[in-house]
Amino acid sequence: MTIQDTIERMTLRDRVALCSGGGAYETKALEAYGIPRLLLMDGPHGIRKPLSDGDVADLGRSEPATCFPAACLTACSWDRELLREIGTAIALEARQHQVDVVLGPGVNIKRNPLCGRNFEYYSEDPFLAGELATWWIRGLQSQGVGASLKHLAANNQETDRMTSDSLVDERTLREIYLAAFERAVTAASPATVMCAYNRVNGTYCSDHKRLMREILRDEWGFRGLVVTDWGAMNDRVKAFEAGVDLEMPASDGWFDETIMEALTNGELSEELLNESVGRILALIEATSESRQGSHQVDLDAHHQIVKRIALNSAVLLK
């Protein structure tokens, strides 16, 4: 059965429901249509999957996994092959835990040294960040696991991150803040791109039609899924118009009712909804291999890889 066949079988409400999360890190499984869940997990420096009996917010109770060096260090390696090796190793651990999408890499440029997420972004240079992200994504996705390039765009601070507004002129936006995203999207085709919490020039990223549809999709040719950062949805109707497909984690059905009303009164086109549903189904299909069989990883061997990566990344210090 094709994706289009599945969409035609689905009720309108089920199509709406598929476009938001079913749990903290997973999409909804709709068994009536044979649609399994997607599992999306942190992150760019190793898998963080909560224990089955644990609280998802308890960072200390997660499945055993390798802690890879942060991007602020590995960027100093200037080594494409090293980044591909990291991506491949993280993908193998993702498959062990049946994770479909790893939430990384991060390529936001470090605008302020006080930004709380500087550690997870590749350096300060757009060309370097774009190249290293490209090779990390290639390594990860070579194992059938999807990447999530983040956070589009100009996400430069953690303080007031859900209300801040990054004011950026066109040349600076293009040459500094979008260049790494453009390189990674066009050269590596990440499975997903994650939109940021903040506003850019007055418009929330989840509502930003120019960024998400006109630049990312129309100009760069991105055909994958656009997912919100967790809790970053602002206006669900505008988000569909902007080309944002999946809200994570969910709004307890509140946005679903908003969408149903918008579809009924003609404010939102059903065609836009179907486009997003199609992209979600395509990602489920593309990552199906990661859910098959049993995969075991030698964590001691990965720890040795980590030590070598850290040594080979200490170039500027040396």
Side-chain angles (χ1 to χ4, degrees), residues 149-163:
L149 182 68
K150 62 186 187 180
H151 310 81
L152 190 64
N155 180 48
N156 309 118
Q157 66 183 59
E158 285 294 277
T159 304
D160 299 324
R161 66 182 182 178
M162 302 183 82
T163 57

PDB file of all heavy atoms in Angstrom, residues 149-163:
ATOM      1  N   LEU A 149      18.654  17.956  12.039  1.00  0.00           N
ATOM      2  CA  LEU A 149      19.518  19.139  12.018  1.00  0.00           C
ATOM      3  C   LEU A 149      18.825  20.273  12.771  1.00  0.00           C
ATOM      4  O   LEU A 149      17.672  20.597  12.487  1.00  0.00           O
ATOM      5  CB  LEU A 149      19.770  19.537  10.559  1.00  0.00           C
ATOM      6  CG  LEU A 149      20.683  20.718  10.289  1.00  0.00           C
ATOM      7  CD1 LEU A 149      22.119  20.403  10.679  1.00  0.00           C
ATOM      8  CD2 LEU A 149      20.611  21.106   8.806  1.00  0.00           C
ATOM      9  N   LYS A 150      19.550  20.903  13.721  1.00  0.00           N
ATOM     10  CA  LYS A 150      18.878  21.882  14.579  1.00  0.00           C
ATOM     11  C   LYS A 150      19.788  23.061  14.928  1.00  0.00           C
ATOM     12  O   LYS A 150      21.002  22.967  14.737  1.00  0.00           O
ATOM     13  CB  LYS A 150      18.387  21.185  15.848  1.00  0.00           C
ATOM     14  CG  LYS A 150      19.491  20.566  16.716  1.00  0.00           C
ATOM     15  CD  LYS A 150      18.900  19.780  17.861  1.00  0.00           C
ATOM     16  CE  LYS A 150      19.969  19.308  18.825  1.00  0.00           C
ATOM     17  NZ  LYS A 150      19.427  18.525  19.961  1.00  0.00           N
ATOM     18  N   HIS A 151      19.217  24.178  15.417  1.00  0.00           N
ATOM     19  CA  HIS A 151      17.806  24.554  15.526  1.00  0.00           C
ATOM     20  C   HIS A 151      17.605  25.744  14.590  1.00  0.00           C
ATOM     21  O   HIS A 151      18.217  26.784  14.805  1.00  0.00           O
ATOM     22  CB  HIS A 151      17.437  24.983  16.935  1.00  0.00           C
ATOM     23  CG  HIS A 151      17.858  24.020  18.020  1.00  0.00           C
ATOM     24  ND1 HIS A 151      19.140  23.964  18.545  1.00  0.00           N
ATOM     25  CD2 HIS A 151      17.162  23.050  18.679  1.00  0.00           C
ATOM     26  CE1 HIS A 151      19.205  23.034  19.479  1.00  0.00           C
ATOM     27  NE2 HIS A 151      18.017  22.450  19.580  1.00  0.00           N
ATOM     28  N   LEU A 152      16.802  25.578  13.579  1.00  0.00           N
ATOM     29  CA  LEU A 152      16.600  26.603  12.558  1.00  0.00           C
ATOM     30  C   LEU A 152      15.625  27.656  13.070  1.00  0.00           C
ATOM     31  O   LEU A 152      14.464  27.361  13.273  1.00  0.00           O
ATOM     32  CB  LEU A 152      16.051  25.930  11.302  1.00  0.00           C
ATOM     33  CG  LEU A 152      15.968  26.767  10.020  1.00  0.00           C
ATOM     34  CD1 LEU A 152      17.363  27.191   9.563  1.00  0.00           C
ATOM     35  CD2 LEU A 152      15.285  25.991   8.910  1.00  0.00           C
ATOM     36  N   ALA A 153      16.053  28.873  13.277  1.00  0.00           N
ATOM     37  CA  ALA A 153      17.361  29.457  12.982  1.00  0.00           C
ATOM     38  C   ALA A 153      17.661  30.556  14.005  1.00  0.00           C
ATOM     39  O   ALA A 153      16.776  31.020  14.705  1.00  0.00           O
ATOM     40  CB  ALA A 153      17.357  30.072  11.595  1.00  0.00           C
ATOM     41  N   ALA A 154      18.966  30.953  14.032  1.00  0.00           N
ATOM     42  CA  ALA A 154      19.442  32.031  14.902  1.00  0.00           C
ATOM     43  C   ALA A 154      19.063  31.804  16.364  1.00  0.00           C
ATOM     44  O   ALA A 154      18.655  32.712  17.073  1.00  0.00           O
ATOM     45  CB  ALA A 154      18.923  33.389  14.413  1.00  0.00           C
ATOM     46  N   ASN A 155      19.223  30.566  16.805  1.00  0.00           N
ATOM     47  CA  ASN A 155      18.940  30.186  18.193  1.00  0.00           C
ATOM     48  C   ASN A 155      20.210  30.397  19.003  1.00  0.00           C
ATOM     49  O   ASN A 155      21.032  29.503  19.118  1.00  0.00           O
ATOM     50  CB  ASN A 155      18.493  28.724  18.238  1.00  0.00           C
ATOM     51  CG  ASN A 155      18.181  28.260  19.647  1.00  0.00           C
ATOM     52  OD1 ASN A 155      17.469  28.926  20.382  1.00  0.00           O
ATOM     53  ND2 ASN A 155      18.713  27.106  20.026  1.00  0.00           N
ATOM     54  N   ASN A 156      20.368  31.578  19.569  1.00  0.00           N
ATOM     55  CA  ASN A 156      21.659  31.969  20.124  1.00  0.00           C
ATOM     56  C   ASN A 156      21.677  32.192  21.627  1.00  0.00           C
ATOM     57  O   ASN A 156      22.660  32.674  22.169  1.00  0.00           O
ATOM     58  CB  ASN A 156      22.152  33.248  19.439  1.00  0.00           C
ATOM     59  CG  ASN A 156      22.127  33.136  17.932  1.00  0.00           C
ATOM     60  OD1 ASN A 156      21.429  33.882  17.278  1.00  0.00           O
ATOM     61  ND2 ASN A 156      22.855  32.184  17.387  1.00  0.00           N
ATOM     62  N   GLN A 157      20.568  31.896  22.323  1.00  0.00           N
ATOM     63  CA  GLN A 157      20.575  32.056  23.770  1.00  0.00           C
ATOM     64  C   GLN A 157      19.548  31.119  24.381  1.00  0.00           C
ATOM     65  O   GLN A 157      18.591  30.705  23.731  1.00  0.00           O
ATOM     66  CB  GLN A 157      20.261  33.501  24.175  1.00  0.00           C
ATOM     67  CG  GLN A 157      18.841  33.959  23.839  1.00  0.00           C
ATOM     68  CD  GLN A 157      18.606  35.405  24.202  1.00  0.00           C
ATOM     69  OE1 GLN A 157      19.292  36.290  23.704  1.00  0.00           O
ATOM     70  NE2 GLN A 157      17.637  35.661  25.072  1.00  0.00           N
ATOM     71  N   GLU A 158      19.780  30.741  25.642  1.00  0.00           N
ATOM     72  CA  GLU A 158      18.831  29.923  26.378  1.00  0.00           C
ATOM     73  C   GLU A 158      17.921  30.770  27.261  1.00  0.00           C
ATOM     74  O   GLU A 158      16.769  30.425  27.488  1.00  0.00           O
ATOM     75  CB  GLU A 158      19.579  28.909  27.247  1.00  0.00           C
ATOM     76  CG  GLU A 158      20.163  27.752  26.463  1.00  0.00           C
ATOM     77  CD  GLU A 158      19.087  26.875  25.844  1.00  0.00           C
ATOM     78  OE1 GLU A 158      18.547  25.981  26.530  1.00  0.00           O
ATOM     79  OE2 GLU A 158      18.757  27.102  24.659  1.00  0.00           O
ATOM     80  N   THR A 159      18.427  31.886  27.755  1.00  0.00           N
ATOM     81  CA  THR A 159      17.608  32.778  28.563  1.00  0.00           C
ATOM     82  C   THR A 159      16.430  33.286  27.741  1.00  0.00           C
ATOM     83  O   THR A 159      16.618  33.827  26.648  1.00  0.00           O
ATOM     84  CB  THR A 159      18.437  33.968  29.076  1.00  0.00           C
ATOM     85  OG1 THR A 159      19.569  33.473  29.801  1.00  0.00           O
ATOM     86  CG2 THR A 159      17.616  34.864  29.973  1.00  0.00           C
ATOM     87  N   ASP A 160      15.227  33.119  28.256  1.00  0.00           N
ATOM     88  CA  ASP A 160      14.012  33.566  27.547  1.00  0.00           C
ATOM     89  C   ASP A 160      13.944  33.014  26.129  1.00  0.00           C
ATOM     90  O   ASP A 160      13.462  33.677  25.217  1.00  0.00           O
ATOM     91  CB  ASP A 160      13.951  35.110  27.502  1.00  0.00           C
ATOM     92  CG  ASP A 160      13.899  35.724  28.886  1.00  0.00           C
ATOM     93  OD1 ASP A 160      13.260  35.131  29.771  1.00  0.00           O
ATOM     94  OD2 ASP A 160      14.494  36.797  29.079  1.00  0.00           O
ATOM     95  N   ARG A 161      14.367  31.778  25.962  1.00  0.00           N
ATOM     96  CA  ARG A 161      14.468  31.233  24.609  1.00  0.00           C
ATOM     97  C   ARG A 161      13.118  31.100  23.925  1.00  0.00           C
ATOM     98  O   ARG A 161      13.054  31.068  22.692  1.00  0.00           O
ATOM     99  CB  ARG A 161      15.145  29.865  24.641  1.00  0.00           C
ATOM    100  CG  ARG A 161      14.365  28.770  25.357  1.00  0.00           C
ATOM    101  CD  ARG A 161      15.150  27.478  25.373  1.00  0.00           C
ATOM    102  NE  ARG A 161      14.401  26.389  26.005  1.00  0.00           N
ATOM    103  CZ  ARG A 161      14.865  25.155  26.103  1.00  0.00           C
ATOM    104  NH1 ARG A 161      16.066  24.860  25.627  1.00  0.00           N
ATOM    105  NH2 ARG A 161      14.156  24.209  26.676  1.00  0.00           N
ATOM    106  N   MET A 162      12.028  31.027  24.688  1.00  0.00           N
ATOM    107  CA  MET A 162      10.715  30.876  24.074  1.00  0.00           C
ATOM    108  C   MET A 162      10.046  32.213  23.777  1.00  0.00           C
ATOM    109  O   MET A 162       8.958  32.254  23.198  1.00  0.00           O
ATOM    110  CB  MET A 162       9.819  30.015  24.959  1.00  0.00           C
ATOM    111  CG  MET A 162      10.405  28.637  25.220  1.00  0.00           C
ATOM    112  SD  MET A 162       9.370  27.534  26.184  1.00  0.00           S
ATOM    113  CE  MET A 162       8.275  26.924  24.909  1.00  0.00           C
ATOM    114  N   THR A 163      10.716  33.306  24.131  1.00  0.00           N
ATOM    115  CA  THR A 163      10.153  34.624  23.845  1.00  0.00           C
ATOM    116  C   THR A 163      11.159  35.555  23.183  1.00  0.00           C
ATOM    117  O   THR A 163      10.806  36.665  22.790  1.00  0.00           O
ATOM    118  CB  THR A 163       9.646  35.300  25.135  1.00  0.00           C
ATOM    119  OG1 THR A 163      10.727  35.384  26.080  1.00  0.00           O
ATOM    120  CG2 THR A 163       8.503  34.519  25.749  1.00  0.00           C
TER     121      THR A 163
END
